[in-house]
């Protein structure tokens, strides 16, 4: 450092910009410089300015970095190096090589200062720490609160299931928690909504390693649990603050080199990337995003809305699944006394909403807290749950602030809302004293709205007990501002609302803020909906499929129900709602009940119904299916789904009902399906892999005169079913795939001519002979409104395909024609080619996988002589 300082002016004059660039890039590669420091040097326009900035930065880095800089300079430009430093070395009677050798010896001595015994001692300390009550016992509502609820990691944690996701962020399969630990790909990213137990999961991994009972984790020498919301300026400094005992005093470079040498024997558990500011600690950000450089294992947790920041770097991405009802009950029994637990469990059993809410561990915690403080509380929304907790804190806090004037308390509560709101938009979840401005911290600390951490430090931090609670406080405050009669408050609230500039902001980034805002005030709900409608107009083609589900949740959380039909209607108009029988929640029930106008405004409602394998006893004395009535399996379609479609005063525009894997159809299922299918102006029925439908199709759709689309895949049909389909004269689309015609008698083909309204006909992989082909041709010739015809994998239709092609010539409205692998011969191809000019609306033509026999060349030449504008349109 002294050598560089003494020759500062000489260096700035002689190091050109090319050498500066080489030096700074190498310093960045060796992690001496950060990317910001490198860019700072590269941004300089002149050689002198670049050299000056580089040298000042390197001097500030310390002795070791300066020696490394000198070594690089000698490598890149030895003549310049000797020109600048030769006289200095002569005066000191030493060479640069001896200086470097001395540095290497010092480095070697420093490395040897961390011995295997030191590492063993650190390992033992970490294992004691992770097994200590300090680490394993925690207050889920904040360490500094007076709400005396303590969780023990050992008794409250239950091994969760996780969803493994692909690179497109789609769920692929459910895996067990222990499977993730077997061979951790690095970095492994665990995503999940707030309160889904991600922190507890990482703590569990640390505790399992410390207990030495988990074989999967015994290969790790060191495991570091780090909370990313409280990082310091570097990785080593963060470890010193959060993990190391105060007696440890290793050099940073030495320790990091030792970690790199240990490689995959080191596991970092990084909790809360959504609360992490990458600018505050570049080393930890690089540990995740450039993990290959560190050669160690990393598991990082993040909330769903922040997943996009790290998803591209993950070797494995898993999503936390819902908390099971059994796990929620276990947690309640472990936390509460018997009488309190029994009361809460009774409330849980009586409420579908409560059961849905208990899928999130955080809400189980809050419910337990409220049960301890309020014996009679009602929860019907997330907002109501937080509101009850909030009011409980305020009531308790007033007694502790009895010497403070009421208006001062109220003023500070409003300041707290502003803090939460500003923090949310600034992506800030930990605050310093300077962020509190006019807040009197002791008032909020006594109430419990804020918690103070690290009070013994020179700069303690202030946090809300959970990010979700900060979102609620922010939503409550935003609701107050945009509902206010005061002009300055109203402008301030609208300013916050205008920060939501895209539909992604609405449905993802600030979703919870809006839910809690609407849950706090009817006026606020109206203002929020008005803002969303404006964004809908601006991004009409960019609205995701999640938007309708978000809109339903927004309605469910809103402070009023029946009065909001007209306000909500525009945001649902023309959209698609997708419901699965496995995820029908209270918000769907109330939406159907209170907003029938909004439901009717939807363009399409998709309903997926799933069956299951027959659970009949496999006893030799039982004869199937003769005894089916005696052993009728449980109804597939749940009453919760059925109740959505009963007692209706309005109609859906289009309803798509998908029936999958129904091996059996109980009488009640038939009744339910019939009722559901009658609820729309237009019905689209999609049946897949459901032999239970065979013979029952007539009973399902007998009273449904509004069938517009029927899609049957891998499901046999009976004679009665075929006759029923042939009588559906108003049907617009008919698609039948993967079916053995032997199950029927060809009644459908015989009656195909009756379906004169049909616009789309698809037949795929159906066993048809030449006689069937002639019947099919006769039917097609009567379908004057046919616009789409797809015939594929009909290898036995033989020469009757010529009749089919002749019949197609009568369908002059054809837009899409696909004849794939269905015995298309050269002669039929020529006939079709000669008549293509008559299909003025044709846009798609697919004749693939057909063997044209000996005259194939002639047929292709004939096809090439079609009008060029037609060929261009079809080919493109």
């Amino acid at each position: 450092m002294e050598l560089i300082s003494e020759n500062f002016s000489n260096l700035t004059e002689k190091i050109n910009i090319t050498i500066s660039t080489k030096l700074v890039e190498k310093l960045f590669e060796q992690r001496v410089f950060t990317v910001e420091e490198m860019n700072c040097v590269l941004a300089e326009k002149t050689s002198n300015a670049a050299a000056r900035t580089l040298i000042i930065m390197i001097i500030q880095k310390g002795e070791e970095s300066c020696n490394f800089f000198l070594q690089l300079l000698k490598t890149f430009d030895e003549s310049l190096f000797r020109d600048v430093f030769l006289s200095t070395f002569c005066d000191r009677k030493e060479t640069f090589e001896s200086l470097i050798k001395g540095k290497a010896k010092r480095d070697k001595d420093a490395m040897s200062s961390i011995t295997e015994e030191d590492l063993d001692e650190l390992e033992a300390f970490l294992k004691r720490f992770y097994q200590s009550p300090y680490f394993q016992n925690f207050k889920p509502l904040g360490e500094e609160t007076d709400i005396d609820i303590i969780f023990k990691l050992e008794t409250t944690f239950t091994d969760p299931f996780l969803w493994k996701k692909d690179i497109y962020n789609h769920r692929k399969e459910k895996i067990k928690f222990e499977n993730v630990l077997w061979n951790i790909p690095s970095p492994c990213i665990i995503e999940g909504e707030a309160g889904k137990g991600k922190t507890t999961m990482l703590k569990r991994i640390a505790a399992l390693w410390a207990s030495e009972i988990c074989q999967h984790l015994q290969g790790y020498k060191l495991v570091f649990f780090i909370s990313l919301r409280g990082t310091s300026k570097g990785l080593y400094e963060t470890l010193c603050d959060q993990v190391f005992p105060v007696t440890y005093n290793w050099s940073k470079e030495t320790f990091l080199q030792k970690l790199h040498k240990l490689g995959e024997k080191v596991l970092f558990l990084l909790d809360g990337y959504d609360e992490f500011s990458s600018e505050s600690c570049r080393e930890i950000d690089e540990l995740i995003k450039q993990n290959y450089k560190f050669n160690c294992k990393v598991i990082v947790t993040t909330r769903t809305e922040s997943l996009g920041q790290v998803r591209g770097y993950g070797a494995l991405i898993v999503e936390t699944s819902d908390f099971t009802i059994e796990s929620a009950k276990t947690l309640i029994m472990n936390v509460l006394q018997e009488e309190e637990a029994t009361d809460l469990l009774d409330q849980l059993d009586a409420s579908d909403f409560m059961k849905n809410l208990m899928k999130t561990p955080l809400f189980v915690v809050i419910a337990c807290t409220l049960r301890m403080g309020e014996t009679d509380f009602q929860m019907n929304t997330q907002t109501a749950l937080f509101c009850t907790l909030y009011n409980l804190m305020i009531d308790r806090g007033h007694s502790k602030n009895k010497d403070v004037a009421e208006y001062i308390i109220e003023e500070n509560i409003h300041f707290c809302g502003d803090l939460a709101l500003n923090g949310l938009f600034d992506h800030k979840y930990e605050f310093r004293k300077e962020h509190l401005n006019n807040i009197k911290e002791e008032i909020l600390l006594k109430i419990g709205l804020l918690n103070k951490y690290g009070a013994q430090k020179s700069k303690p931090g202030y946090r809300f007990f959970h990010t979700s609670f900060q979102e609620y406080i922010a939503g409550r405050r935003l609701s107050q501002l945009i509902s206010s009669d005061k002009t300055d408050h109203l402008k301030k609230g609208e300013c916050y609302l205008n920060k939501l500039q895209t539909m992604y902001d609405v449905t993802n980034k600030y979703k919870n803020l809006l839910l809690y805002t609407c849950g706090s005030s009817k006026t606020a709900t109206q203002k929020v909906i008005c803002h969303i409608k404006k964004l809908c107009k601006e991004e009409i083609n960019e609205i995701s499929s999640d938007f309708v589900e978000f809109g339903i949740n927004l309605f469910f959380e809103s402070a009023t129900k029946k009065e909001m039909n007209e306000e909500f209607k525009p945001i649902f108009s023309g959209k698609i709602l997708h419901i699965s029988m496995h995820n029908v929640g209270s918000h769907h029930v109330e939406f159907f009940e209170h907003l029938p106008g909004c439901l009717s405004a939807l363009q399409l409602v998709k309903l997926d119904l799933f069956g299951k394998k027959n659970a009949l006893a496999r006893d030799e004395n039982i004869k199937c299916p003769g005894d089916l009535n005696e052993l009728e399996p449980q109804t597939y379609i749940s009453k919760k789904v059925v109740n959505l479609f009963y007692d209706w005063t309005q109609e859906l525009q289009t309803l798509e009902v998908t029936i999958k894997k129904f091996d059996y159809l109980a009488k009640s299922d038939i009744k339910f399906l019939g009722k559901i299918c009658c609820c729309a102006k237009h019905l689209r029925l999609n049946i897949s892999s459901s032999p239970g439908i065979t013979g029952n199709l007539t009973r399902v759709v007998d009273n449904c005169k509004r069938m517009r689309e029927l899609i049957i895949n891998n499901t046999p049909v009976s004679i009665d079913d075929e006759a029923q389909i042939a009588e559906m004269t108003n049907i617009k689309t008919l698609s039948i795939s993967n079916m053995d015609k032997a199950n029927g008698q060809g009644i459908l083909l015989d009656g195909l001519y009756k379906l004169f309204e049909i616009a789309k006909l698809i037949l795929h992989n159906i066993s048809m002979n030449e006689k069937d082909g002639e019947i099919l041709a006769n039917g097609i010739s009567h379908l004057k409104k046919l616009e789409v015809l797809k015939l594929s994998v009909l290898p036995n239709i033989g020469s009757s395909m010529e009749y089919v092609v002749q019949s197609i010539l009568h369908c002059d409205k054809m837009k899409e024609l696909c004849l794939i692998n269905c015995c298309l011969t050269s002669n039929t191809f020529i006939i079709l080619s000669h008549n293509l000019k008559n299909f003025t609306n044709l846009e798609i033509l697919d004749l693939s996988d057909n063997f044209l026999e000996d005259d194939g060349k002639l047929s292709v030449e004939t096809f090439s002589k079609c009008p060029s504008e037609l060929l261009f349109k079809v080919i493109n």
Side-chain angles (χ1 to χ4, degrees), residues 338-602:
E338 184 176 353
E339 184 178 351
E340 293 173 336
T342 302
D343 289 341
L344 184 55
L345 290 174
D346 289 342
Q347 193 178 22
L348 177 63
D349 289 333
S351 168
D352 287 338
F353 170 76
M354 280 284 289
K355 290 176 183 175
N356 188 59
L357 209 60
M358 294 301 107
K359 294 176 181 178
T360 301
L362 172 65
F363 292 128
V364 182
V365 174
I366 297 174
C368 291
T369 302
L370 295 177
R371 175 55 60 182
M372 294 171 66
E374 296 282 338
T375 57
D376 184 25
F377 69 95
Q378 296 298 320
M379 294 182 292
N380 52 9
T381 63
Q382 289 178 208
T383 308
L385 189 68
F386 273 124
C387 184
T388 308
L389 177 65
Y390 178 90
N391 291 336
L392 178 64
M393 288 179 166
I394 296 295
D395 290 343
R396 290 184 175 186
H398 273 293
S399 62
K400 298 177 183 179
N401 290 299
K402 56 186 177 182
D403 297 331
V404 182
E406 185 74 25
Y407 79 92
I408 294 179
I409 296 176
E410 290 299 320
E411 188 179 60
N412 276 270
I413 290 173
H414 289 158
F415 287 155
C416 181
D418 293 333
L419 182 72
L421 199 49
N422 289 325
L424 212 58
F425 282 104
D426 292 340
H427 196 68
K428 189 183 294 296
Y429 302 96
E430 178 158 344
F431 307 92
R432 298 295 180 187
K433 184 71 174 179
E434 57 268 24
H435 300 134
L436 302 188
N437 295 325
N438 299 321
I439 292 177
K440 297 183 183 299
E441 65 174 84
E442 64 275 7
I443 294 177
L444 298 182
L445 293 176
K446 287 178 180 179
I447 294 174
L449 294 182
L450 276 183
N451 293 170
K452 187 175 183 178
Y453 295 87
Q456 74 281 2
K457 296 183 179 179
S458 59
K459 289 189 175 182
Y462 302 84
R463 299 197 295 263
F464 297 89
F465 79 84
H466 197 279
T467 51
S468 287
F469 191 58
Q470 179 177 343
E471 287 172 331
Y472 168 73
I473 298 291
R476 185 186 180 99
R477 181 56 177 159
L478 180 57
S479 175
Q480 292 170 346
L481 291 172
I482 60 180
S483 304
S484 176
D485 294 330
K486 297 180 179 179
T487 304
D488 57 334
H489 285 186
L490 191 58
K491 286 183 178 180
K492 184 177 179 181
E494 289 175 347
C495 182
Y496 283 119
L497 206 55
N498 289 331
K499 290 184 179 182
L500 279 63
Q501 299 180 344
T502 65
M503 290 308 300
Y504 178 81
D505 290 341
V506 169
T507 59
N508 288 275
K509 199 171 182 181
Y510 299 108
K511 173 181 66 176
N512 292 325
L513 171 67
L514 294 181
L515 291 179
Y516 296 131
T517 301
C518 292
S520 301
S521 160
K522 176 185 174 182
T523 303
T525 303
Q526 293 170 329
K527 295 282 184 69
V528 168
I529 292 175
C530 184
H531 184 72
I532 291 175
K533 285 191 289 188
K534 183 176 70 174
L535 291 180
C536 283
K537 291 178 181 178
E538 295 173 358
E539 297 185 44
I540 192 166
N541 296 321
E542 300 179 21
I543 298 174
S544 72
S545 58
D546 297 332
F547 178 71
V548 170
E549 192 70 21
F550 165 76
I552 295 174
N553 278 297
L554 197 69
F555 153 75
F556 183 70
E557 287 290 329
S558 63
T560 57
K561 304 292 184 187
K562 296 180 181 179
E563 302 173 28
M564 303 297 291
N565 191 77
E566 290 305 314
E567 283 86 348
F568 275 98
K569 193 172 181 179
I571 70 174
F572 290 108
S573 181
K575 309 296 191 308
I576 298 174
L577 169 61
H578 197 159
I579 305 174
S580 166
M581 63 181 287
H582 295 315
N583 69 359
V584 174
S586 300
H587 59 302
H588 293 118
V589 174
E590 294 212 4
F591 177 66
F592 273 67
E593 179 181 353
H594 295 302
L595 295 185
C598 293
L599 200 56
S600 298
L602 290 168

Side-chain angles (χ1 to χ4, degrees), residues 31 107-116 119 219-222 224 235 252-268 287 291-297:
R31 296 173 57 216
D107 283 350
K108 185 177 180 181
D109 293 339
M111 275 294 291
S112 64
S113 66
I114 300 182
T115 64
E116 289 301 318
L119 291 177
Y220 297 105
K221 179 69 175 177
L222 302 173
F224 299 112
L235 175 61
K252 175 177 179 176
E253 291 78 7
T254 302
F255 183 76
L256 293 181
Q257 288 177 31
K258 195 68 175 178
L259 286 187
H260 191 272
K261 188 175 181 180
L262 285 171
E264 294 189 349
K265 292 184 178 180
V266 179
L267 173 62
F268 284 94
L287 177 63
N291 183 247
Y292 58 90
K293 289 184 177 180
F294 290 80
N295 196 31
C296 60
K297 296 281 190 174

Side-chain angles (χ1 to χ4, degrees), residues 162-335:
L162 301 165
W163 284 103
K164 186 176 180 180
K165 305 182 82 171
D166 61 16
I167 58 173
Y168 304 107
N169 205 29
H170 297 149
R171 292 176 174 179
K172 300 304 292 182
E173 61 176 316
K174 244 183 181 181
I175 59 176
K176 292 183 178 179
F177 173 64
E178 63 180 27
N179 292 344
V180 176
L181 306 182
W182 177 252
N183 182 24
I184 302 172
S186 188
C188 171
I189 299 169
I190 300 176
E191 67 140 316
E193 297 291 344
K196 278 295 184 74
K198 302 183 294 296
T199 300
T200 311
M201 203 178 301
L202 288 194
K203 283 199 162 193
R204 175 67 169 170
I205 295 173
L208 282 173
W209 172 74
S211 67
E212 300 182 355
I213 62 173
C214 180
Q215 182 181 357
H216 305 333
L217 297 172
Q218 291 316 296
Y220 297 105
K221 179 69 175 177
L222 302 173
V223 174
F224 299 112
F225 177 91
I226 295 176
S227 175
L228 294 181
R229 75 189 308 180
T231 53
S232 301
K233 63 180 180 179
L235 175 61
Y236 180 75
E237 291 81 1
T238 299
L239 289 171
C240 289
D241 285 347
Q242 297 191 24
V243 180
F244 289 167
V246 294
T247 54
Y248 281 37
N249 190 26
W250 294 318
S251 93
K252 175 177 179 176
E253 291 78 7
T254 302
F255 183 76
L256 293 181
Q257 288 177 31
K258 195 68 175 178
L259 286 187
H260 191 272
K261 188 175 181 180
L262 285 171
E264 294 189 349
K265 292 184 178 180
V266 179
L267 173 62
F268 284 94
L269 306 173
L270 307 178
D271 182 47
Y273 190 85
D274 50 284
E275 301 178 67
F276 172 60
S277 174
S278 57
E279 291 78 14
S280 65
C281 187
R282 286 290 179 185
E283 285 181 339
I284 290 182
D285 200 46
E286 290 173 1
L287 177 63
I288 300 167
K289 297 178 179 178
Q290 300 179 37
N291 183 247
Y292 58 90
K293 289 184 177 180
F294 290 80
N295 196 31
C296 60
K297 296 281 190 174
V298 172
I299 302 178
V300 58
T301 66
T302 185
R303 285 175 61 166
T304 299
E305 58 265 31
S306 303
L307 176 65
Q309 299 176 34
V310 290
R311 184 163 64 88
Y313 306 97
L316 172 66
I317 301 172
V318 292
E319 178 186 358
T320 55
S321 62
D322 290 338
F323 212 36
T324 64
I325 294 296
E326 291 71 25
S327 296
K329 290 180 176 179
T330 301
L331 185 57
I332 290 168
M333 294 298 295
N334 285 335
V335 171

Side-chain angles (χ1 to χ4, degrees), residues 814-850:
M814 193 73 68
K815 293 181 179 178
E816 182 176 350
L817 176 61
C818 300
L819 305 175
I820 304 170
N821 188 12
C822 51
C823 302
L824 190 68
T825 63
S826 176
N827 186 44
T828 53
F829 192 19
I830 292 172
I831 294 172
L832 188 61
S833 300
H834 282 312
N835 290 277
L836 274 180
K837 61 180 179 295
N838 298 324
F839 295 105
T840 57
N841 298 316
L842 192 65
E843 297 176 356
I844 297 174
L845 177 65
D846 189 347
L847 306 176
S848 57
D849 295 337
N850 285 290

Side-chain angles (χ1 to χ4, degrees), residues 617-659:
R618 300 299 180 188
D619 194 299
E620 294 180 0
N621 298 321
I622 297 178
K623 296 180 180 180
C624 293
D627 292 329
L628 278 177
N629 290 333
E630 297 178 18
L631 293 171
E632 186 174 294
Q634 186 179 3
T635 301
Y636 288 152
I637 306 174
S638 67
K639 290 183 179 180
K640 186 181 293 185
V641 173
V642 178
N643 289 339
L644 292 178
F645 297 91
Y646 266 78
D647 300 325
W648 266 57
T649 58
Q650 298 194 43
E651 293 179 321
L652 300 175
Q653 290 188 39
T654 302
L655 173 64
E656 179 180 323
V657 180
T658 298
I659 301 173

